[in-house]
Amino acid sequence: MQVGLVGKPNVGKSTLFVALTMHPVDIGPYPFTTISANRGVGAVRIECPHVEKGVPCAPKHGTCMDGMRYVPVEVIDVAGLVPNAHEGRGLGNRFLDDLRQATVLIHVIDASGSTDAEGNPVDIGEHDPLEDMRFLEEEIAYWIKGIIEDGWKRLARKVETEGRRPSEALAERLSGLGVSERDCAMAMRHVGLDEHPTRWSDEDLLALARAVREVSKPILVAANKADIAPEDMLRRLTSVKGYTVIPISADYELALKRAAKAGLIKYRPGDPMFEVMDEVKLTSPQRRALERIREFMERHGGTGVQVALETAVYRLARRIVVFPVEDENKWTDKEGNVLPDAFLLKEGSTALDLAYKVHTDLGRGFIRAIDGRTHRVLGADHPLSHGDVIKIVARA
Ligand SMILES: Nc1nc2c(ncn2[C@@H]2O[C@H](COP(=O)(O)OP(=O)(O)O)[C@@H](O)[C@H]2O)c(=O)[nH]1
Ligand SMILES: [Mg+2]
């Protein structure tokens, strides 16, 4: 799965991208890498089951820091977006491609209001970030509407004369977005559209596009620059109905990761607070900067950055983490590595889904699965839970 960072210029997308994809410690032969300039690997946290076992784990991907497992997830810094981009002013092919691939979007906004609608710097509070929140949703809805309505009238007539389901025709159109027929049917129901697409108005199509956007591209709003944003603005943004908004400071998260890398502080990404390693090693500007960060973290329970990513992945994209193992007693692979893998799966994924994810052969030869904790036998249809440790038994 991929998480796309979107938003107008100068809100802090690139800062957030670097903060999310930089890792404070070297983690051996499988580092968190930057795939290309705007693609990198971040991670979501889960308490590592190795703690229950009392033996250290050996992650093949990602890492584990003091019992906290960091599971890799791809992050894309999507090109900047400006108002009315769907009319062709800024929606480049790369943008659309990135957008298509993203499972969930993090909309980075400037909560301090110090960038105007186009992303030019203005005084703090001069621009209302709430406008940006609405604008992005509309922008994506218009883009989806554009995909639906291209040659739609003819298709609608054809669908009616052939007696096909409109939801099926819609899903074909939107397959590039990863929208299923079920999603389309749900969106149609949501808007109250009937089975006669020739009667759907322009307004109906826009409403439909909005509903499709909701199911196919959930958006988490990261209220960035919270470190310089007025408190009442943050309160206002986080209380808007229908939006998931998390105040963050990408700047502070980046500063902490750099300080941790330099050995100045101890900080695991997502921790509510950092710890200074050696007070005397800090220069006075460093000390002052860390003091400001400490004060912010005390008020917000952290920098918000890691929590924002996890909310997008776990809550909006509905992902769970599952640990496949070869040995259900020792929780190891063939080489004896403890809990080597951690997979992100869709909520509702079954034991058979996991088998296919590990290896196609394991899926094809699936016999049963075994829960590593309870040692119960699980059938192919058994839905997995977040944090499960699972052994798959398959024909060779
Ligand atoms: N105060 C503050 N400034 C930030 C924060 N994140 C980014 N910035 C600043 O905002 C400006 C634009 O950042 P950048 O990441 O290039 O934005 P992008 O155009 O959206 O990629 C830079 O001057 C950053 O230092 C933050 O959390 N707090
Ligand atoms: Mg940028």
Side-chain angles (χ1 to χ4, degrees):
M1 73 163 302
Q2 302 183 342
V3 179
L5 308 181
V6 291
K8 70 188 184 187
N10 279 324
V11 291
K13 291 183 301 299
S14 297
T15 308
L16 179 59
F17 174 76
V18 176
L20 282 173
T21 58
M22 173 182 171
H23 208 75
V25 289
D26 290 326
I27 47 172
Y30 300 98
F32 285 68
T33 42
T34 297
I35 298 164
S36 67
N38 74 325
R39 272 162 198 270
V41 180
V44 290
R45 290 172 300 171
I46 180 172
E47 276 178 33
C48 190
H50 90 243
V51 178
E52 295 164 46
K53 263 292 172 221
V55 273
C57 66
K60 270 200 269 176
H61 309 282
T63 184
C64 192
M65 293 171 80
D66 301 331
M68 192 63 84
R69 186 77 171 233
Y70 288 79
V71 182
V73 54
E74 198 173 317
V75 180
I76 321 169
D77 180 3
V78 177
L81 186 64
V82 291
N84 299 314
H86 70 273
E87 287 166 6
R89 269 212 299 145
L91 274 193
N93 281 334
R94 204 192 86 194
F95 176 84
L96 295 181
D97 240 38
D98 288 349
L99 202 58
R100 244 188 283 278
Q101 289 173 34
T103 314
V104 58
L105 301 174
I106 294 182
H107 181 200
V108 187
I109 63 169
D110 177 350
S112 72
S114 64
T115 33
D116 71 13
E118 314 260 317
N120 305 303
V122 292
D123 288 339
I124 288 181
E126 212 174 291
H127 178 76
D128 185 357
L130 204 70
E131 281 176 26
D132 300 336
M133 274 161 63
R134 305 225 153 92
F135 131 75
L136 182 85
E137 275 196 6
E138 278 302 275
E139 206 58 42
I140 294 173
Y142 272 104
W143 169 59
I144 292 174
K145 177 172 179 266
I147 298 173
I148 297 174
E149 74 189 354
D150 182 30
W152 176 249
K153 285 235 157 64
R154 240 188 69 218
L155 181 64
R157 274 197 302 275
K158 215 165 144 243
V159 164
E160 282 190 20
T161 48
E162 288 171 7
R164 276 174 75 202
R165 287 186 308 275
S167 53
E168 189 194 9
L170 267 177
E172 262 166 38
R173 298 234 126 171
L174 298 170
S175 60
L177 291 180
V179 182
S180 65
E181 183 179 353
R182 224 176 106 239
D183 292 340
C184 290
M186 201 153 76
M188 279 172 56
R189 240 188 342 268
H190 194 84
V191 180
L193 290 179
D194 58 18
E195 298 285 311
H196 301 283
T198 52
R199 295 183 205 156
W200 299 355
S201 68
D202 197 55
E203 270 306 299
D204 288 337
L205 288 186
L206 181 57
L208 180 66
R210 288 195 182 111
V212 167
R213 201 284 305 155
E214 257 181 60
V215 294
S216 63
K217 300 290 162 191
I219 298 174
L220 176 110
V221 178
N224 194 34
K225 307 194 189 182
D227 51 296
I228 55 165
E231 280 296 324
D232 55 339
M233 175 56 85
L234 292 179
R235 264 196 301 278
R236 183 167 158 257
L237 291 173
T238 49
S239 59
V240 184
K241 290 220 163 50
Y243 291 85
T244 310
V245 182
I246 298 186
I248 69 162
S249 174
D251 228 13
Y252 284 179
E253 177 75 5
L254 186 56
L256 289 180
K257 284 199 172 164
R258 286 189 172 142
K261 199 161 199 157
L264 296 172
I265 61 168
K266 186 170 180 325
Y267 174 66
R268 289 181 315 182
D271 279 354
M273 191 46 75
F274 59 88
E275 214 181 290
V276 174
M277 297 297 274
D278 189 355
E279 197 67 51
V280 293
K281 269 206 226 148
L282 299 176
T283 65
S284 47
Q286 282 171 339
R287 193 167 300 131
R288 277 197 300 277
L290 285 175
E291 211 32 64
R292 274 198 306 277
I293 298 176
R294 177 190 302 282
E295 194 259 333
F296 178 88
M297 292 175 87
E298 272 166 2
R299 256 185 303 133
H300 293 274
T303 69
V305 165
Q306 188 61 35
V307 172
L309 180 67
E310 284 156 7
T311 305
V313 170
Y314 289 142
R315 211 162 87 210
L316 299 189
R318 300 174 172 279
R319 276 352 193 230
I320 58 169
V321 175
V322 178
F323 300 87
V325 292
E326 286 274 345
D327 184 316
E328 72 270 29
N329 298 306
K330 294 188 186 141
W331 296 1
T332 54
D333 63 9
K334 283 199 190 86
E335 286 89 49
N337 299 306
V338 176
L339 298 161
D341 294 306
F343 287 172
L344 275 172
L345 300 175
K346 275 188 200 149
E347 221 174 78
S349 292
T350 62
L352 184 62
D353 293 330
L354 174 67
Y356 271 106
K357 178 106 178 179
V358 175
H359 202 282
T360 321
D361 293 342
L362 217 50
R364 288 211 192 97
F366 185 95
I367 298 171
R368 62 179 178 274
I370 299 168
D371 185 311
R373 288 197 181 82
T374 63
H375 299 281
R376 270 180 40 208
V377 171
L378 312 172
D381 292 342
H382 180 87
L384 301 173
S385 300
H386 189 49
D388 272 355
V389 178
I390 302 287
K391 146 98 181 164
I392 307 283
V393 182
R395 274 184 301 278

